[in-house]
Amino acid sequence: DITRYGRSAVLSMSALENLSQSEGLASGAGAGAGAGAGAGLGGSTGGMTTKSAPPPPPPDKKVDRLKDYRNMLSAGSVLNVWTKGKYKPCHVLVSSDWRNIVWQDPKTSKKLGAMDLRAVAGVEAGVKPGHTKKFGLGRKVKEDCAFSVIGDRHNLDLEVMVAAQRKRWVKALSTLVEVFKTDPAALR
């Protein structure tokens, strides 16, 4: 009987380990396997331990979709803000109440403008009309660095310094707008 219970416990542990790996819960495998082994040795009958119940779902905890971007958005970065074909380096960040995208002078921290997230329709990579020069004079925008925050009345046309940053900024701001419109309480 002891040998049979031991085999049953080993089967339970391996089944729980396979289940946790398939669910991507590698951190919970140790705790789940220990529970399965205890159940197998606890005096249950024959083959019943091989059909162990899946672990209970975690408590109703919402996933923070902005987890990867919160620090970047709240600290901000110096980006070029384009208006009518002219650019100005500005410190772009999200306000402390997570309701506005703010741009300010990087030296004096004087607020130069803000865009309310309620007015934002989306974020798009690429060159938009605010990036282009009227007479072709001066520096042109780097196409692989340009993106825009599309608003109801006006756009915020931005340019990152390095092309690799554009994808991260577009994804971060898109996620911010989506969370703001679907679950504003999650921003706090």
Side-chain angles (χ1 to χ4, degrees), residues 6-188:
R7 286 183 188 148
S8 178
V10 170
L11 283 173
S12 295
M13 289 189 315
S14 63
L16 282 173
E17 184 175 338
N18 290 339
L19 178 66
S20 67
Q21 287 176 354
S22 69
E23 293 178 356
L25 299 174
S27 64
L41 296 174
S44 64
T45 58
M48 296 299 287
T49 56
T50 59
K51 292 184 178 180
S52 60
D60 192 33
K61 182 181 177 187
K62 292 186 177 186
V63 176
D64 184 11
R65 295 186 297 182
L66 285 171
K67 181 179 84 168
D68 297 334
Y69 308 114
R70 277 190 188 273
N71 190 38
M72 181 185 89
L73 291 171
S74 62
S77 185
V78 176
L79 307 177
N80 289 331
V81 176
W82 285 78
T83 308
K84 298 179 183 175
K86 296 179 182 178
Y87 73 95
K88 178 175 178 115
C90 294
H91 183 214
V92 178
L93 66 150
V94 176
S95 62
S96 59
D97 64 356
W98 295 88
R99 297 179 58 89
N100 297 291
I101 299 171
V102 178
W103 55 100
Q104 56 194 20
D105 187 290
K107 294 178 183 169
T108 64
S109 296
K110 178 184 174 194
K111 183 177 169 183
L112 301 174
M115 183 178 239
D116 193 329
L117 289 177
R118 291 177 293 185
V120 175
V123 182
E124 296 178 6
V127 177
K128 300 296 177 211
H131 288 111
T132 58
K133 298 234 169 241
K134 291 191 179 199
F135 301 109
L137 301 173
R139 180 175 88 78
K140 292 185 178 182
V141 67
K142 298 176 200 166
E143 291 185 22
D144 57 341
C145 295
F147 68 98
S148 294
V149 180
I150 310 299
D152 293 340
R153 289 182 277 160
H154 64 277
N155 297 345
L156 175 58
D157 299 309
L158 300 167
E159 178 188 26
V160 293
M161 304 302 172
V162 181
Q165 292 178 339
R166 178 176 79 172
K167 184 177 180 180
R168 183 158 169 81
W169 271 96
V170 169
K171 181 68 175 162
L173 291 172
S174 297
T175 305
L176 173 66
V177 171
E178 181 183 333
V179 169
F180 179 80
K181 294 195 181 229
T182 58
D183 189 13
L187 293 175
R188 292 182 172 77

